[in-house]
Amino acid sequence: MDGSRTSLDIEEYSDTEVQKNQVLTLEEWQDKWVNGKTAFHLEQGHQLLKKHLDTFLKGKSGLRVFFPLCGKAVEMKWFANRGHSVIGVEISELGIREFFTEQNLSYTEEPITEIPGAKVFKSSSGNISLYCCSIFDFPRTNIGKFDMIWDRGALVAINPGDRKRYADTMLSLLGKKFQYLLCVFSYDPTKHPGPPFYVPHAEIERLFGKICNIHCLEKVDAFEERHKSWGIDYLFEKLYVLTEK
């Protein structure tokens, strides 16, 4: 496509069927951590979140912020340092331990009684709790409602066939006057099988439109040299803000 990377007005592929049968198991995600295949981790944090963070927070403190499929996201500390309570879910215990180690945070661990075999890791300061379990098991903890969700690398990593279940899980965790911050990618899904999976605007409307107002706040060129190995020649990242209707 000529000039595909010079314009942010790429026509989206409305056909998401091409990736619908793609599946990664939880074990495969755990293996990515063990084998160091975590190029999705942003050591400096997400720049769009950094840019808009103060606008999102509006000077508030004491918000409950949820990080689905959190990995070792440094952004969790950004919120905690501003006086907010952070709760994350991650299937990789290694990823969770690396977060606390790399952020120089002491922590405790304990079993999650509602989910056999699962653990929760809590910072000694008490404002970061990371649950090592499946995102679909997490609601069994009866953790309560959240003011904000930071969904970067989560919806785009969920198997396409599980998206409706995932979206319903996220919506069940949101409190009143919520902000759901969602990052997705646009690229040619016929050239790369994912993950990250391709999630067009129409899919976001299908998943969240009945409950949420959906606003695309910003769209940026995210193409890097490493993406050439995916067989694609453009990659855009979009930041959406979903709010209560």
Side-chain angles (χ1 to χ4, degrees):
M1 183 183 295
D2 185 43
S4 61
R5 294 196 52 241
T6 62
S7 170
L8 294 181
D9 298 320
I10 296 290
E11 182 178 343
E12 287 198 324
Y13 284 82
S14 58
D15 179 16
T16 57
E17 296 291 292
V18 66
Q19 291 180 339
K20 71 174 183 178
N21 295 321
Q22 294 293 327
V23 173
L24 263 74
T25 65
L26 294 180
E27 289 74 23
E28 286 175 298
W29 281 110
Q30 289 170 317
D31 287 345
K32 285 180 181 289
W33 282 96
V34 170
N35 298 318
K37 295 181 178 179
T38 55
F40 49 80
H41 175 67
L42 300 175
E43 290 188 7
Q44 303 303 316
H46 199 283
Q47 295 309 299
L48 285 181
L49 178 61
K50 182 179 287 186
K51 176 181 176 180
H52 296 287
L53 187 57
D54 289 338
T55 302
F56 292 144
L57 294 177
K58 301 171 185 171
K60 295 179 181 177
S61 61
L63 297 177
R64 301 187 81 227
V65 184
F66 183 52
F67 277 66
L69 282 57
C70 62
K72 56 180 181 180
V74 301
E75 300 92 330
M76 293 190 284
K77 199 173 182 185
W78 296 356
F79 283 97
N81 287 348
R82 286 169 169 78
H84 305 291
S85 176
V86 174
I87 294 175
V89 170
E90 170 57 48
I91 196 61
S92 171
E93 184 172 320
L94 178 60
I96 291 175
R97 293 186 186 277
E98 286 184 4
F99 168 77
F100 286 109
T101 300
E102 292 174 10
Q103 300 303 321
N104 296 310
L105 297 172
S106 57
Y107 64 94
T108 59
E109 60 181 274
E110 58 190 70
I112 303 171
T113 54
E114 299 91 344
I115 308 172
K119 297 178 184 178
V120 58
F121 296 77
K122 298 180 179 180
S123 64
S124 299
S125 59
N127 58 353
I128 301 177
S129 298
L130 305 184
Y131 288 72
C132 188
C133 63
S134 162
I135 191 69
F136 297 121
D137 288 334
F138 177 69
R140 287 157 54 188
T141 61
N142 296 312
I143 197 67
K145 303 290 187 180
F146 293 93
D147 301 297
M148 185 177 291
I149 292 178
W150 171 241
D151 186 325
R152 182 264 165 188
L155 177 61
V156 297
I158 291 290
N159 294 328
D162 292 330
R163 275 186 196 147
K164 182 66 167 65
R165 184 183 176 197
Y166 171 83
D168 289 346
T169 299
M170 293 301 101
L171 291 170
S172 76
L173 295 170
L174 288 166
K176 294 290 184 182
K177 298 181 180 179
F178 64 80
Q179 289 185 97
Y180 186 151
L181 313 177
L182 171 65
C183 286
V184 299
F185 291 108
S186 289
Y187 62 86
D188 183 346
T190 66
K191 294 183 177 179
H192 178 57
F197 297 111
Y198 169 66
V199 183
H201 183 88
E203 181 78 337
I204 297 171
E205 288 282 359
R206 182 182 75 85
L207 296 171
F208 299 103
K210 289 183 180 178
I211 306 294
C212 304
N213 295 309
I214 298 170
H215 173 60
C216 184
L217 183 65
E218 193 160 349
K219 185 175 179 181
V220 296
D221 187 344
F223 191 85
E224 299 175 3
E225 188 70 23
R226 66 185 179 92
H227 295 129
K228 289 182 179 178
S229 67
W230 296 6
I232 62 176
D233 57 8
Y234 68 90
L235 179 73
F236 296 110
E237 186 169 25
K238 294 189 287 186
L239 172 60
Y240 283 87
V241 181
L242 281 55
T243 54
E244 187 177 21
K245 273 190 172 178

